[in-house]
């Protein structure tokens, strides 16, 4: 009997950008007496169904975007006689769907770190439950990944999580609801140990797969310090101190290492923090800019972000401290107008962001936006291929609309075309070449161009193009560029590397 862990994807690029961390964390959670799990990541290549045998246990992790493909695999595995278990954010939110459409014998809700061992033991003994509550495990129980099981030469970035959960409450995001608003922060010892393991193997690019790398702001500290009860203040101070401790230790690692994380723009208020990031070689951060106007920020409950000149100043502060920004922008907000697309690209350029992504507002389950939309749609009988719009992930890809929520002034096609146009302009060869001057040598500049093009092909054309020929062309383009790109990310293994004190 084998245990399988499968990350579903309907497109495979041969090379992965970032390791799906859950695969290697659940591998760690797999009791040793069941052997090493067989890991399949379909972002690399499609599953070979013949590897699944009767009596095997098959764990499938899904988010909303890959749920449909996950259900196909679940059905195949069940038909092959395996015990099928679903987990991940989407299965957490829709356990019945995984059972009815994905052939799940069992579903794990929440974190798998502690509960997965029990699920396997139960399944192997033929007494599995229908639903397991994994909950939100405490930081000390968040497991390190089994990096020894990762295939060589297939990923550009490995991923290590340092904190789970986010204190904010953005309307389009499910993290604060599913992962909680309390930052569950791993101590620096366990994080550094994983990072060193990866560098020993030749990984020098590591994504810190965090929801928000700056979980305690200076305002949070000031507010807590004014309270009579000092418990909150002490807890926040400890979280902040641990952040600095982690960055101090990262700074002692070999100087060819590069880290990337996700952070709110609030960190721009804190030069000490940004300096520590620079020293730790956290050279890039995804910043959720979302909107460039106060009205847009209000639409997404993100009043803590800045707009206008202050926004530009904040993003430039990251750049000044040597942290490249991947600005993330959302289009299709109720306050957006036809002029928003150009204005957003202009702000992205003005604020010196090195990369940008332009996504269309999508009501993801588990979010405030989704709850409001689902309610508003109660009386709407629209079905596409027999599926209500509010279950958009179940609509076949070729029929699935790209925009779901009606907009007061723009049609769905206006938003899609405006978004595609923003990608095209931001990633025009001329603009990429201008940005490439952030690195010095000609070789690095050419690498920068290649990576910018890869990023654009993978995330824009395969995601928002409505023309399937364009999607196919982009996927094969991405496959073609991915190989040389990956080589840019490798380093010589350093098996002798020790863990900094
Ligand atoms: C890092 C990250 C990324 C990275 C890397 C992705 C990768 N290859 O791993 C990048 C930047 C590329 C990315 C992209 C996107 N992401 Co993302 N990402 C994350 C983030 C911050 C961390 C993921 C992670 O590594 N976590 C660490 C692992 C260990 O945790 P985990 O995956 O949750 O797994 C645990 C449990 O869920 C459970 N579990 C998971 N699978 C299984 C399976 C079984 C069998 C069992 C038993 C248990 C189990 O056990 C695990 C251990 O506790 C999450 C937020 C989050 N808190 O999860 C968002 C998140 C997953 N992303 C999200 C989204 C929306 C996206 C994008 C669509 C954004 C966009 N518009 O482009 C793209 C989609 C890319 C794609 N096609 O996959 C959403 C998903 C929402 C949803 N309902 O599906 C999340 C939840 C964030 C959010 N804002 O709400 N993402
Ligand atoms: S979008 Fe970012 S800041 Fe907002 S709740 Fe989600 S993780 Fe936190």
């Amino acid at each position: 009997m084998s245990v399988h862990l499968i990350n579903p994807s309907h497109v495979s690029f041969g090379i992965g950008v970032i390791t799906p961390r859950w695969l290697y964390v659940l591998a760690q959670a797999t009791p040793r007496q069941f052997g090493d799990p067989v890991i399949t990541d379909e972002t690399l290549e499609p599953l070979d169904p013949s590897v699944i045998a009767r009596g095997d246990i098959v764990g499938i992790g899904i988010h909303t975007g890959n749920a449909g493909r996950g259900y196909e695999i679940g059905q195949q595995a069940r038909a092959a006689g395996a015990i099928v278990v679903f987990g991940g954010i989407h299965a957490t939110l829709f356990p019945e769907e995984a059972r009815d459409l994905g052939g799940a014998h069992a579903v794990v809700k929440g974190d798998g770190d502690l509960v997965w061992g029990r699920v396997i033991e139960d399944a192997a003994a033929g007494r599995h439950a229908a639903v397991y509550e994994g909950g939100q495990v405490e930081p000390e129980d968040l497991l390190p990944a089994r990096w020894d099981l990762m295939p060589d030469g297939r990923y550009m970035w490995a991923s290590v999580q340092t904190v789970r959960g986010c204190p904010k409450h953005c309307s389009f995001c499910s993290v604060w609801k599913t992962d909680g608003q309390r930052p569950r922060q791993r101590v620096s010892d366990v994080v550094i140990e994983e990072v060193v393991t990866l560098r020993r193997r030749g990984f020098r690019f590591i994504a810190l797969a965090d929801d928000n790398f700056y979980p305690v702001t200076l305002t949070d500290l000031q507010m807590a310090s004014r309270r009579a009860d000092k418990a909150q203040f002490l807890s926040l101070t400890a979280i902040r101190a641990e952040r600095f401790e982690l960055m101090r230790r990262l700074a002692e690692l070999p100087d060819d290492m590069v880290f990337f994380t996700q952070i709110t723009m609030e960190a721009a208020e804190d030069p000490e923090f940004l300096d520590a990031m620079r020293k730790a070689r956290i050279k890039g951060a995804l910043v959720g800019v979302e909107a460039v106007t106060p009205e847009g920020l209000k639409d997404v409950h993100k009043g803590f972000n800045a707009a206008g000149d202050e926004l530009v100043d904040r993003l430039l502060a990251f750049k000044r401290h040597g942290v490249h920004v991947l600005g993330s922008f959302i289009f299709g907000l109720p306050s957006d107008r036809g002029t928003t697309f150009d204005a957003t690209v202009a702000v992205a350029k003005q604020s010196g962001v090195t990369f940008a992504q332009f996504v269309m507002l999508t009501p993801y389950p588990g979010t405030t936006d989704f709850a409001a939309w689902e309610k508003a749609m109660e009386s709407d009988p629209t079905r596409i291929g027999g599926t209500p719009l509010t279950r958009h992930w179940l609509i076949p890809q070729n029929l699935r609309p790209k925009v779901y929520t009606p907009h007061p002034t723009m049609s769905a096609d206006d938003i899609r075309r405006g978004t595609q146009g923003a990608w095209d302009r931001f990633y025009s060869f001329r603009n990429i070449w201008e940005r490439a001057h952030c690195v010095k040598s000609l070789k690095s500049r050419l690498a920068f161009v290649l990576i910018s093009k890869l990023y654009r092909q993978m995330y824009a054309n395969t995601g928002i193009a409505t023309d399937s020929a364009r999607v196919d062309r982009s996927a094969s383009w991405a496959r073609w560029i991915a190989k040389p790109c990956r080589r840019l990310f490798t380093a010589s293994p350093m098996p002798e590397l020790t863990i900094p004190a």
Side-chain angles (χ1 to χ4, degrees), residues 166 168-170 172-173 175-176 211-212 264 290 302 304:
C166 175
K168 307 297 175 191
H169 56 266
C170 306
F172 58 86
C173 174
V175 159
W176 58 283
D211 299 316
N212 178 0
T264 62
E290 330 302 1
K302 204 145 181 166
F304 60 88

Side-chain angles (χ1 to χ4, degrees), residues 18-88:
I18 303 181
T19 48
R21 182 171 168 80
W22 77 267
L23 285 174
Y24 299 97
V25 168
L26 279 220
Q28 183 73 267
T30 305
R32 294 296 183 270
Q33 70 266 30
F34 294 97
D36 289 342
V38 181
I39 292 179
T40 305
D41 176 7
E42 288 205 308
T43 65
L44 302 180
E45 62 233 346
L47 170 76
D48 168 6
S50 70
V51 298
I52 298 172
R54 179 162 296 281
D56 284 356
I57 298 170
V58 175
I60 304 168
I62 50 171
H63 54 83
T64 301
N66 67 1
R69 173 64 191 144
Y71 296 156
E72 285 171 13
I73 297 173
Q75 294 287 3
Q76 280 175 5
R78 190 168 178 133
I83 310 229
V84 177
V85 186
F86 273 83

Side-chain angles (χ1 to χ4, degrees), residues 198-214:
L198 286 160
R199 184 62 192 86
R200 282 178 184 150
R201 288 195 53 169
F203 262 98
R204 66 184 192 94
F205 285 83
I206 295 176
L208 303 176
D210 299 330
D211 299 316
N212 178 0
F213 193 77
Y214 189 64

Side-chain angles (χ1 to χ4, degrees), residues 116-194:
W116 178 236
R118 185 151 60 84
V119 177
I120 296 184
E121 278 158 14
D122 286 358
R127 51 155 199 257
H128 55 81
V131 174
Y132 289 83
E133 296 288 344
Q136 295 174 1
V137 307
E138 290 302 314
E140 58 277 16
D141 293 324
L142 290 168
L143 292 178
R146 283 278 309 269
W147 294 120
D148 56 309
L149 298 180
M150 179 174 48
D152 278 328
R154 305 304 296 274
Y155 293 100
M156 297 183 197
W157 296 72
S159 52
V160 176
Q161 198 167 40
T162 76
V163 61
R164 216 167 154 83
C166 175
K168 307 297 175 191
H169 56 266
C170 306
S171 67
F172 58 86
C173 174
S174 54
V175 159
W176 58 283
K177 294 201 177 174
T178 54
D179 279 344
Q181 288 184 289
R182 176 173 63 103
R184 288 178 283 145
Q185 188 167 278
R186 299 172 76 206
V187 294
S188 67
D189 280 348
V190 290
V191 175
I192 291 283
E193 217 165 286
E194 277 197 60

Side-chain angles (χ1 to χ4, degrees), residues 78-132:
R78 190 168 178 133
I83 310 229
V84 177
V85 186
F86 273 83
I89 176 157
H90 193 81
T92 298
L93 294 166
F94 297 100
E96 299 81 14
E97 195 180 280
R99 185 196 60 206
D100 298 344
L101 303 179
H105 292 92
V107 175
V108 170
K109 293 172 75 176
D111 299 342
D113 308 60
L114 295 180
V115 85
W116 178 236
R118 185 151 60 84
V119 177
I120 296 184
E121 278 158 14
D122 286 358
R127 51 155 199 257
H128 55 81
V131 174
Y132 289 83

